[in-house]
Amino acid sequence: SESEGEEFLKKMRESYTTAEAWTDRAALIRSNILEATGLDPFPQKCSLDPIFGNWRVYDGYQVRNVAFESLPGVFVTGSIYAPIDMRDKPPGILSPHGHWPNREDYGRYRPDVQKRCAAFARMGAIVFSFDMVGYGQMAEYGWEHKHPGTMKLQIWNSIRAVDFIISIGADPERIACTGASGGGTQTFHLAAVDPRVFISIPVVMISNRHFGGCICELGRPIHENNGFKTNNVEIAACQAPKPLMLVSVGTDATEFTPQVEYPHIQYIYGLFRKAEMVENAHLPDDEHGYDYNKRAAVYPFLAKHLDLDLSKAMNPDGSLIEDGIVIEEIEALYPFDKDNPLPGHAILNNDEVMWDP
């Protein structure tokens, strides 16, 4: 309940009164996530062996599809968005998506995802938008999202996505991750376990009482395990003291973020004397998602901390510049086609995944 969530945060706040104490607490949270998901120790990292499609050039940005191996035969599918004239070592932005399963409003193919990825690229970043486990083209080959192994593989895929975006030229010191709903969960899961994430922006997902509703968010005991207990507010705060933005609305479980979750995280950042590194954009009348107003809140934060050109995505009056962004059809964003067929060694369903013994 809301009151139980507030009481837990109040009790935990009393247990860390110094930066050192929070650092120890964050280490325990990270350790528990990795232990609970079976990622401690990490499996051996295989070669990514990316399969690239051709560039499609649009107004101020370009797109190409890609697939790489996170484990032998396990393909992560997605698309790269990049500036037309990409400078050396641009910032990298990872874009995980949430649980939008309907074909007409689906995963990373939704217009709001394509718009923000194109805008990030126009601003000067290289972006990787990737499918959740069991979504996108791999779902057509037999992969499922609702599977006991999804949380473990999804976190691992995100870690390998950091490897991938660095491998294609992104600045390893300027990696951001942002997504909404289940993509917000992926954002703070990744930031909690991978210190290479410099900026974390989970959208409409940080709540002291709601931890998600999918097996990819609740399938392993990352919140309560062998006497250890935490919640998503603390997991998100593992980002401290690096830049963190919470985007909340008044119509879902983030409705009290300005009064409850945000002050708690501000307190943690204050222990490091870095309170200015965390922000909350609260939109009381907005719905759950990553729509226009959320994008308008996120772009300035990213521009400030990644040295991006905000003028390419936002007018001086705060309106967004989205003319010329092309919303591509789902199949146009698939990496496997007649020119790049699915490799014969590809794993075709969740049950065939082989982790290190």
Side-chain angles (χ1 to χ4, degrees):
S1 69
E2 187 68 33
S3 61
E4 288 171 332
E6 287 189 49
E7 185 60 31
F8 175 78
L9 290 180
K10 180 180 178 181
K11 178 181 177 182
M12 295 312 302
R13 176 170 173 159
E14 295 170 354
S15 71
Y16 31 81
T17 58
T18 66
E20 292 76 14
W22 170 252
T23 298
D24 291 343
R25 175 67 177 169
L28 285 175
I29 293 168
R30 294 186 187 99
S31 177
N32 182 68
I33 292 173
L34 295 175
E35 177 187 335
T37 55
L39 289 171
D40 184 16
F42 276 177
Q44 183 176 353
K45 290 186 176 181
C46 66
S47 174
L48 295 168
D49 292 337
I51 299 170
F52 294 104
N54 295 323
W55 287 109
R56 303 183 295 282
V57 179
Y58 297 115
D59 181 9
Y61 70 100
Q62 53 188 333
V63 188
R64 73 189 308 190
N65 305 330
V66 65
F68 66 80
E69 294 182 63
S70 63
L71 294 166
V74 176
F75 282 91
V76 178
T77 50
S79 299
I80 301 166
Y81 294 73
I84 298 295
D85 298 314
M86 191 164 61
R87 58 181 173 175
D88 186 46
K89 296 260 181 225
I93 301 177
L94 299 177
S95 175
H97 66 82
H99 298 94
W100 281 275
N102 298 324
R103 182 76 178 181
E104 65 276 9
D105 188 37
Y106 184 57
R108 70 178 175 91
Y109 312 96
R110 303 177 78 228
D112 70 273
V113 179
Q114 295 193 48
K115 286 179 181 179
R116 72 173 180 263
C117 290
F120 295 157
R122 284 175 165 180
M123 291 165 68
I126 188 167
V127 186
F128 179 51
S129 177
F130 58 105
D131 293 305
M132 287 201 290
V133 172
Y135 270 69
Q137 191 172 21
M138 297 313 295
E140 300 181 5
Y141 292 111
W143 280 82
E144 300 176 359
H145 185 66
K146 295 182 178 180
H147 184 277
T150 293
M151 178 187 277
K152 177 180 182 179
L153 184 57
Q154 199 152 277
I155 292 175
W156 182 245
N157 284 353
S158 294
I159 292 169
R160 298 311 317 268
V162 178
D163 295 335
F164 171 70
I165 202 167
I166 292 172
S167 78
I168 59 173
D171 184 348
E173 302 298 320
R174 293 188 296 161
I175 302 297
C177 186
T178 182
S181 193
T185 302
Q186 292 181 75
T187 295
F188 63 76
H189 281 179
L190 173 63
V193 301
D194 194 326
R196 295 175 297 176
V197 176
F198 174 59
I199 299 177
S200 174
I201 308 179
V203 176
V204 295
M205 202 58 216
I206 302 301
S207 169
N208 67 27
R209 62 178 172 86
H210 178 67
F211 300 167
C214 180
I215 197 167
C216 75
E217 299 165 306
L218 302 172
R220 297 293 179 99
I222 66 170
H223 299 105
E224 193 165 0
N225 186 28
N226 296 325
F228 178 83
K229 190 173 183 178
T230 188
N231 66 9
N232 285 348
V233 182
E234 287 196 313
I235 294 174
C238 288
Q239 176 72 4
K242 296 178 291 184
L244 170 66
M245 184 181 214
L246 312 180
V247 181
S248 55
V249 296
T251 56
D252 65 14
T254 65
E255 59 185 331
F256 298 118
T257 294
Q259 294 81 36
V260 181
E261 290 87 354
Y262 180 49
H264 186 84
I265 296 179
Q266 273 188 312
Y267 166 75
I268 292 170
Y269 273 73
L271 297 175
F272 295 90
R273 301 183 187 275
K274 293 286 187 180
E276 74 280 2
M277 301 299 279
V278 59
E279 296 182 19
N280 173 217
H282 188 68
L283 305 164
D285 299 322
D286 271 31
E287 299 293 327
H288 192 76
Y290 208 139
D291 51 37
Y292 188 101
N293 290 334
K294 280 84 160 179
R295 299 196 295 278
V298 166
Y299 293 171
F301 188 82
L302 283 171
K304 176 173 66 174
H305 291 288
L306 292 180
D307 189 27
L308 296 173
D309 186 352
L310 184 60
S311 69
K312 297 293 180 63
M314 182 177 281
N315 292 305
D317 64 1
S319 61
L320 300 185
I321 302 170
E322 296 184 333
D323 293 345
I325 293 177
V326 175
I327 305 303
E328 298 186 293
E329 296 296 326
I330 290 179
E331 287 78 7
L333 291 161
Y334 280 179
F336 298 120
D337 54 26
K338 59 181 178 59
D339 296 322
N340 291 302
L342 182 72
H345 69 283
I347 289 175
L348 301 182
N349 64 74
N350 311 60
D351 292 327
E352 295 178 9
V353 177
M354 294 294 293
W355 296 89
D356 291 344

